[in-house]
Amino acid sequence: MYEWTQKYVGIPFVSGGRTEKGCDCYGLIRLILRNEYSIQLPSLMIDDYHALDANETRPLFEKYVPVICASKISCPEEKSVCLIRTTGGLLTHVGIYAGDGFIIHSRNKTGAVCERMNSPFLTGRIEGWYHVNTGKMST
């Protein structure tokens, strides 16, 4: 795994969180890309947002994911973001490649975890891998 990975493992899950004190799944990839690769992503915050409510996250993903995830790639690379289907098949979860077949992502009960891509939770749920658009985006 990449050297930086372990400093993010254990960050608590916080809906709408965007800092080391707590993150949701998008907040975690935003934090990692900013801290490790100097890539700034929009915060994607709305009033009374709840990251575990698919009715709230789906519109954000539909609007911003095509902008953020500029190009689909066939294999994960350093800085690659993956889109993950949640229960019900909705694309409302994201993670980032952590190297050596691992993904780091934030789960509501455990917070940030490194998980093998072939774990029971992730098997069959990864929609794809993407290069991140590093241009300026508004929220």
Side-chain angles (χ1 to χ4, degrees):
M1 283 187 280
Y2 300 127
E3 278 183 36
W4 53 258
T5 310
Q6 288 306 311
K7 67 181 159 183
Y8 297 96
V9 170
I11 291 176
F13 178 89
V14 173
S15 180
R18 301 291 184 259
T19 71
E20 289 84 354
K21 292 180 181 181
C23 290
D24 56 25
C25 65
Y26 178 78
L28 181 65
I29 69 160
R30 183 176 186 262
L31 184 67
I32 291 169
L33 289 172
R34 184 191 71 210
N35 291 352
E36 305 305 322
Y37 301 104
S38 299
I39 296 172
Q40 296 290 334
L41 295 180
S43 98
L44 300 189
M45 290 304 302
I46 57 175
D47 292 335
D48 300 320
Y49 166 82
H50 195 281
L52 298 177
D53 184 340
N55 292 323
E56 292 182 26
T57 56
R58 188 176 58 225
L60 288 173
F61 272 62
E62 287 172 357
K63 182 175 180 181
Y64 291 106
V65 165
V67 175
I68 294 166
C69 297
S71 58
K72 193 169 187 176
I73 56 176
S74 58
C75 296
E77 302 169 355
E78 189 167 356
K79 300 186 277 187
S80 297
V81 170
C82 65
L83 299 182
I84 302 167
R85 294 185 190 284
T86 55
T87 306
L90 300 174
L91 286 174
T92 58
H93 189 57
V94 291
I96 189 167
Y97 188 59
D100 299 326
F102 284 85
I103 294 171
I104 187 167
H105 62 117
S106 187
R107 295 180 68 175
N108 65 325
K109 294 182 180 170
T110 60
V113 295
C114 274
E115 200 164 349
R116 285 208 167 274
M117 294 179 345
N118 62 358
S119 74
F121 177 78
L122 294 171
T123 297
R125 292 185 173 192
I126 298 172
E127 182 277 335
W129 296 97
Y130 295 83
H131 283 297
V132 174
N133 181 351
T134 57
K136 298 273 185 199
M137 292 167 274
S138 61
T139 52

